[in-house]
Amino acid sequence: MTSSATGARRAAVLGKPIAHSLSPVLHRAAYAELGLGDWSYDRFEVDEAGLPGFLAGLGPEWAGLSLTMPLKRAVMPLLDEVSETAASVDAVNTVVFTEDGRKVGDNTDIPGMVAALREHGIEEVESAAVLGAGATASSALAALARICPGEVVVYVRSAARAAEMREWGERLDMDVRTADWADAAQALRAPLVIATTPAGTADALAAAVPERPATLFDVLYDPWPTELAARWSMFGGAVVGGLDLLVHQAVLQVERMTGRTPAPLEAMRRAGERALAAR
């Protein structure tokens, strides 16, 4: 599922809000490294109501789109095909326009998480904990389904979220248990902790980091490090950050949209680091 890399092509990231997105920085760095001087990558603020019209107005020069919230689920009925990975979590973050004009949806967040963990030496864990129960948590469960044969405990704030996470577990054929957020400090003793909460939510847990923590995957990248990640590092634990995830999922997007592989991971990472340092 790739687009042709011949001729002047366009791609972009859509969402609302979108001004904060690092995707243009990462994709443009990839184009420069790959010698795709006639490719462009932009950002457009688009909400669910405006998405059908935006898609309908795209011409044949378009190679693909990156999607962030609130569009990852809203786009699905507008596509000609959805990958098994995206269907597993009802979320599309990548749309590729094929040479015959079809719109194909995929999810690179899930394999991006797996790749980011693998880069840090995490190939498999016997059990894991997830902090939070939003859209990123479902992607985290799907990623864990590939590397964690044991129990995953998801810490949530409401009974409704707990039920939703257990449903995802059943759908992904995983051993998922839910626990109350009041007990979230217990999560920090797991072999792998994936923090999917918004900025500031997990700060209070920093004081509960154990003396010998294992691995933390904090999906935030701005501000960085989070209080939890900083404390984790101070105690010698391994930390995978949100920029790691962002770069790895963007690498897969570039490969799908351009048909060029491998995408330049390190050049994209350096561009992201420079952009964050400038903020």
Side-chain angles (χ1 to χ4, degrees):
M1 187 193 69
T2 59
S3 173
S4 170
T6 59
R9 306 302 301 275
R10 297 189 66 185
V13 60
L14 313 181
K16 185 175 183 179
I18 202 62
H20 68 287
S21 176
L22 277 182
S23 291
V25 170
L26 302 182
H27 284 251
R28 290 169 186 168
Y31 298 165
E33 194 76 10
L34 293 169
L36 299 175
D38 50 0
W39 279 64
S40 63
Y41 190 100
D42 302 296
R43 62 164 67 90
F44 295 95
E45 186 159 296
V46 178
D47 60 13
E48 292 150 298
L51 184 59
F54 186 93
L55 289 177
L58 300 182
E61 73 278 11
W62 281 85
L65 297 170
S66 308
L67 301 176
T68 186
M69 299 306 291
L71 305 179
K72 292 184 179 183
R73 186 168 294 178
V75 76
M76 295 182 73
L78 307 175
L79 303 175
D80 299 301
E81 181 184 337
V82 174
S83 73
E84 185 176 324
T85 300
S88 72
V89 290
D90 286 341
V92 165
N93 79 325
T94 307
V95 177
V96 172
F97 301 103
T98 63
E99 292 184 20
D100 59 3
R102 298 170 70 249
K103 299 184 289 292
V104 181
D106 197 5
N107 186 306
T108 65
D109 286 331
I110 295 166
M113 283 187 175
V114 174
L117 286 166
R118 184 179 298 120
E119 184 181 36
H120 285 76
I122 308 298
E123 299 278 351
E124 183 175 300
V125 289
E126 65 269 24
S127 61
V130 176
L131 301 174
T136 306
S138 60
S139 291
L141 286 181
L144 288 169
R146 303 183 179 194
I147 66 167
C148 181
E151 182 183 64
V152 177
V153 184
V154 185
Y155 291 81
V156 301
R157 291 187 181 277
S158 71
R161 288 292 196 181
E164 184 177 337
M165 290 297 104
R166 288 193 296 270
E167 287 174 11
W168 281 118
E170 292 177 9
R171 184 167 172 174
L172 294 163
D173 194 24
M174 297 176 66
D175 181 8
V176 172
R177 179 169 64 86
T178 56
D180 192 273
W181 183 261
D183 298 319
Q186 297 178 15
L188 308 187
R189 300 188 180 278
L192 171 62
V193 181
I194 304 183
T196 71
T197 52
T201 304
D203 286 354
L205 296 176
V209 173
E211 287 187 7
R212 295 178 181 174
T215 300
L216 170 69
F217 191 164
D218 194 326
V219 303
L220 295 172
Y221 62 84
D222 188 16
W224 186 261
T226 62
E227 288 190 27
L228 180 60
R231 181 83 169 181
W232 201 275
S233 293
M234 187 174 74
F235 277 73
V239 175
V240 185
L243 184 60
D244 295 308
L245 168 59
L246 192 65
V247 170
H248 276 282
Q249 65 83 27
V251 160
L252 296 171
Q253 288 184 333
V254 168
E255 292 176 351
R256 284 154 172 72
M257 292 180 193
T258 68
R260 302 282 290 272
T261 184
L265 172 70
E266 290 307 322
M268 296 168 71
R269 191 199 310 274
R270 288 193 300 269
E273 288 171 344
R274 288 194 298 269
L276 288 175
R279 290 187 173 181

